[in-house]
Amino acid sequence: MPGYLIKDTTKEERKQIVEESLGNIAANCDGCMSGLADMYQDYIDGKKEIRDINMEFNARYVRGDMDKEEKRSCPI
């Protein structure tokens, strides 16, 4: 099984990994996926590992320091 680390993948492979993981990355259905897809752009660009992005995202819930607007699951 190929790795998911930045050093083991190309930008195109990382984009495909994110697309396959999230499903409808274009967010054409209801607009809810666009923020999630944007969250992984640093991984696609080779700036941050998926693990680090997920840990940062989860840490906001543990600390409880999210703004009211960010707590909503969907921007609609």
Side-chain angles (χ1 to χ4, degrees):
M1 179 164 105
Y4 295 99
L5 296 176
I6 291 169
K7 68 181 180 91
D8 298 331
T9 56
T10 65
K11 184 173 183 172
E12 292 77 24
E13 290 171 329
R14 292 188 297 272
K15 183 175 180 183
Q16 184 176 357
I17 289 166
V18 171
E19 288 175 351
E20 289 175 0
S21 297
L22 297 179
N24 183 16
I25 197 167
N28 293 331
C29 60
D30 60 8
C32 292
M33 291 295 293
S34 61
L36 224 101
D38 292 343
M39 184 172 88
Y40 290 102
Q41 191 61 47
D42 279 348
Y43 170 69
I44 294 170
D45 292 338
K47 296 176 183 176
K48 287 184 182 178
E49 296 291 351
I50 290 176
R51 175 189 64 234
D52 298 328
I53 293 170
N54 288 336
M55 286 173 50
E56 290 171 6
F57 179 79
N58 290 331
R60 294 189 327 199
Y61 286 103
V62 172
R63 289 191 321 255
D65 62 353
M66 294 176 53
D67 293 343
K68 286 183 180 181
E69 287 185 29
E70 289 184 80
K71 287 185 183 178
R72 297 186 318 184
S73 63
C74 189
I76 298 175

